Amino acid sequence: MTQMMKALVCPTPGQIALEARPVPVRGAADVLIRIRRAGICGTDFNIYAGHHPFLVYPRLIGHELSGTVEEAPEGSRFVAGQIVAVIPYIACGTCHACLNDKPNCCMNIAVLGVHKDGGMCEWLCVPEVNVQAVDGLTLDQAATVEFLAIGAHAVRRAGAVAARQVLVVGAGPIGLATALMAQIAGARVTLADLDAARLSHAAAVIPLEATLVANQDFAASVQAATGGAGFDAVFDATGNRASMERGFALIAHGGTYVFAGLIKDDISFSDSEFHKREITLMASRNATAEDFAHVIDSIRTGRVPVSALLTHRTTLDQAAENLAHWSKHKTGLIKALIEIA
């Protein structure tokens, strides 16, 4: 008889439910993981709302994952019972990007919970290369590594930011992850958002240079904060077209602009202004094992306030109801965690 497990599935936008799915069978090169924690992120909310550009329904969601090893290949570096995190970007290993050490933007990438079924379930099989050792971290801490690594990768894309003036726009989880990792890299970080209460909450968690409310006076506030020069690096983590387009005017001459957020729409900007400032424009997609290792070390050495980031909890049985509620009521929400018994 096929062994079954519980799995959280979005069959179509606006619907989410717990389903019974077969427990996966481990392939020869795979690790079987008992999933114990799953973070809920903006991607999951966008899938539920029908706003994700790369998704086909139905989809078992979830990619911020930690658990314990149940089975591993013979000779594996992993042992049964070991706490691990999952690198949810399944790369082909043979395309142009992979051969140039950029598996995070593999031409044939399959992200768990997006392009293929994910990990808000009881069991998961992934290739051994996608399993990350997290020695010294708890299950809770290990489940935060992926979203923090998104921020770490965005910061690494921008190059050296130590002692530079950096602006992060958007105080959601990815914005906070980016701000935190930029601060760890030595940047002087200003965080901006439409919601003053969210900014106040963020400032209590992350050491910030300043916060700015992104209202009608935002451009003037940026000028005042930078002596009229603009920021050396700007990261937009809003996933909002108007915000992403407005960001070009906030960058110093010779500065860098990184899109940490993602939208379906086209983005337009003034080419003359872009050239005048000689802006470096970058996308930041996913993260690499290097980013995961940096985040794990940062957590292990006490530089990441994980307990303050984990604001909401639920169980797999209650997750469908809670996710639907939190998608519309995010007050005080930074990171919600599903505990899977």
Side-chain angles (χ1 to χ4, degrees), residues 8-17 19 21 44-51 55-61 323:
L8 195 64
V9 178
C10 268
T12 191
Q15 296 183 22
I16 187 166
E19 295 184 2
R21 291 282 184 96
D44 303 312
F45 290 128
N46 284 333
I47 291 170
Y48 174 71
H51 297 157
L55 191 111
V56 177
Y57 297 88
R59 181 60 68 222
L60 195 173
I61 61 174
L323 190 150

Side-chain angles (χ1 to χ4, degrees), residues 62-63 65 86-90 110-114 116-118 124 126:
H63 62 273
L65 309 168
V86 175
I87 301 176
Y89 329 117
I90 312 298
V111 179
L112 296 179
V114 179
K116 63 184 300 182
D117 283 341
L124 181 70
V126 292

